[in-house]
Amino acid sequence: MSALPPAPRQADGKGRSGIQIPELDGVRGLAILLVLLFHFQGARPHLIPKFLTYPMILGWSGVDLFFVLSGFLITGILMDTRVAPNYFSSFYARRVLRIFPLYLLAVLICFHVGLPLARHFGQELAAESALEPWYWLHVSNWRSAFGPDVKALSHVWSLSIEEQFYLVWPFVVLVAKPKRMGAVCTALVVLALGLRCYAAARGAPPEALHRLTPFRADSLAFGGLVAAVVRRPAWRAAVRRRLSVLTAFAVGALVPLIVAGRGAASRPMTTLGYTAFAFLYACLVFGAFDASGSSRWLSVQLRRPSLRALGKYSYAMYMFHYPIAVWLAGRVAEESQDASEVVRAGLWLGSVVLGILGSFGLALLSWNL
């Protein structure tokens, strides 16, 4: 998926729709790499140094980076095309053609091939079979927030959030004037943060705080805020001058939260942590976009072919990787029962590499087929 859609073709040098931004493909590659490292970490042997596994523990935040990037790209597309006569039809057609074929195929295979095979081999999965409508309707996050879900599709809750965002956001952008989009996005950030903190104080389950759309809207709104900022030259220049300060502030806010609780469902993260990560990732997206094509260190790193390749195939990799991770974790655990610590470490490292390469290979195949 290109960083920005191919139409309209006009380019005005301000990052309007139609301009390919290689650095944003790199940002997407970084996001999927974080998610892959998190899910393929499995059961880490004690022999593996913590400095190698620590970044993997925080890999769950790659989903938040996806949210920020999606909010940025989608809001930008909608702002640039809001006066077009095919504003709604073009937007929804693109989203359907991009998301639905692979997603619906995965749901079909899971419920009508995978689960019947599992039952054939003696596994009782009637409860999972009953959840099928939630996945067809892209609302699985509302079900899995309050109980068990289908293990092979547990990761698609984030896609449900994005689809629900796509459904509503075009109307918001159409009603709100472009000069007010910054205020609208800021208000949504504050609202989502407030709702999450209030729900946490009232005893809401951690998974609900993690998976329900209203509680995660701040990440998408931060992306929308960046899209609004880069389209106002004065705002863009002001943020550029202060970007290092803003980034340092985001890191400073995150460090104590990470120390207090690194997990996605920990109390520090379900209250302030998601917003802090979104703030940091908004700085990253702004920096990547604003310095695109330059020789700055960040731009050079994000333009690396390996990251851009991951970004190009990131959607299919996201769809395929989690069932692979579940399968590999089971095999590694089985083979490691009577093995030495060194062998267990080797199996673990091999599973991480194999999982990432396997996901990439399937995504490449999917892209071409």
Side-chain angles (χ1 to χ4, degrees):
M1 180 180 181
S2 59
L4 291 174
R9 288 288 182 185
Q10 70 272 14
D12 62 5
K14 299 179 182 178
R16 303 296 187 185
S17 298
I19 303 176
Q20 179 77 14
I21 307 295
E23 287 82 354
L24 296 184
D25 283 331
V27 171
R28 187 181 284 108
L30 177 61
I32 190 61
L33 184 59
L34 285 169
V35 173
L36 292 174
L37 290 175
F38 177 70
H39 282 147
F40 284 122
Q41 65 178 310
R44 302 180 304 281
H46 296 299
L47 191 64
I48 303 299
K50 286 187 176 181
F51 75 88
L52 289 177
T53 61
Y54 195 80
M56 303 174 76
I57 297 173
L58 295 173
W60 59 264
S61 68
V63 169
D64 293 82
L65 181 52
F66 273 126
F67 285 160
V68 173
L69 185 59
S70 289
F72 171 73
L73 294 174
I74 296 304
T75 303
I77 291 169
L78 293 171
M79 290 180 68
D80 294 343
T81 60
R82 65 188 299 272
V83 296
N86 61 342
Y87 171 76
F88 286 108
S89 60
S90 175
F91 175 78
Y92 286 122
R94 288 177 183 275
R95 302 284 75 74
V96 167
L97 291 173
R98 174 61 187 153
I99 302 297
F100 278 22
L102 184 56
Y103 175 83
L104 296 181
L105 179 63
V107 173
L108 180 69
I109 292 174
C110 176
F111 283 101
H112 296 280
V113 178
L115 293 185
L117 280 175
R119 285 194 295 269
H120 176 74
F121 288 102
Q123 296 186 41
E124 181 53 51
L125 299 171
E128 291 193 2
S129 299
L131 301 177
E132 183 176 358
W134 296 86
Y135 291 88
W136 287 110
L137 297 175
H138 272 289
V139 290
S140 63
N141 63 315
W142 290 87
R143 177 62 184 84
S144 62
F146 298 102
D149 58 358
V150 179
K151 193 169 186 179
L153 295 176
S154 181
H155 59 306
V156 302
W157 65 269
S158 62
L159 297 178
S160 296
I161 288 179
E162 292 209 22
E163 287 298 292
Q164 293 157 33
F165 170 69
Y166 297 157
L167 186 64
V168 174
W169 200 240
F171 295 92
V172 175
V173 176
L174 185 64
V175 171
K177 295 181 179 180
K179 64 180 181 180
R180 301 197 183 280
M181 277 307 299
V184 170
C185 292
T186 302
L188 185 55
V189 168
V190 174
L191 178 62
L193 174 60
L195 285 174
R196 204 168 56 240
C197 291
Y198 174 78
R202 300 287 293 180
E207 280 302 316
L209 299 173
H210 184 57
R211 297 192 177 207
L212 291 184
T213 307
F215 298 147
R216 303 310 304 275
D218 47 350
S219 297
L220 293 158
F222 259 120
L225 179 59
V226 175
V229 166
V230 300
R231 282 161 175 77
R232 301 288 295 274
W235 291 6
R236 182 172 177 175
V239 172
R240 182 188 300 125
R241 291 192 299 269
R242 299 170 176 83
L243 184 60
S244 58
V245 175
L246 293 171
T247 303
F249 177 81
V251 172
L254 262 176
V255 168
L257 295 171
I258 291 173
V259 171
R262 297 185 297 272
S266 66
R267 184 61 176 267
M269 288 301 162
T270 56
T271 50
L272 303 176
Y274 299 155
T275 303
F277 263 118
F279 188 13
L280 177 62
Y281 288 148
C283 292
L284 172 62
V285 170
F286 177 89
F289 180 88
D290 187 64
S292 60
S294 73
S295 59
R296 297 180 189 176
W297 182 86
L298 176 63
S299 295
V300 172
Q301 302 309 311
L302 291 176
R303 288 198 301 268
R304 289 188 177 278
S306 54
L307 266 186
R308 293 194 63 199
L310 288 174
K312 179 177 181 179
Y313 304 113
S314 59
Y315 173 54
M317 292 183 73
Y318 189 84
M319 287 301 304
F320 291 134
H321 86 280
Y322 193 70
I324 297 174
V326 172
W327 181 80
L328 280 175
R331 300 291 74 74
V332 170
E334 183 178 323
E335 297 296 330
S336 299
Q337 287 182 355
D338 300 318
S340 67
E341 194 70 18
V342 174
V343 172
R344 291 174 60 195
L347 288 171
W348 176 77
L349 287 172
S351 71
V352 174
V353 174
L354 180 62
I356 293 175
L357 292 178
S359 300
F360 185 84
L362 286 175
L364 185 64
L365 186 65
S366 167
W367 177 278
N368 286 283
L369 293 179

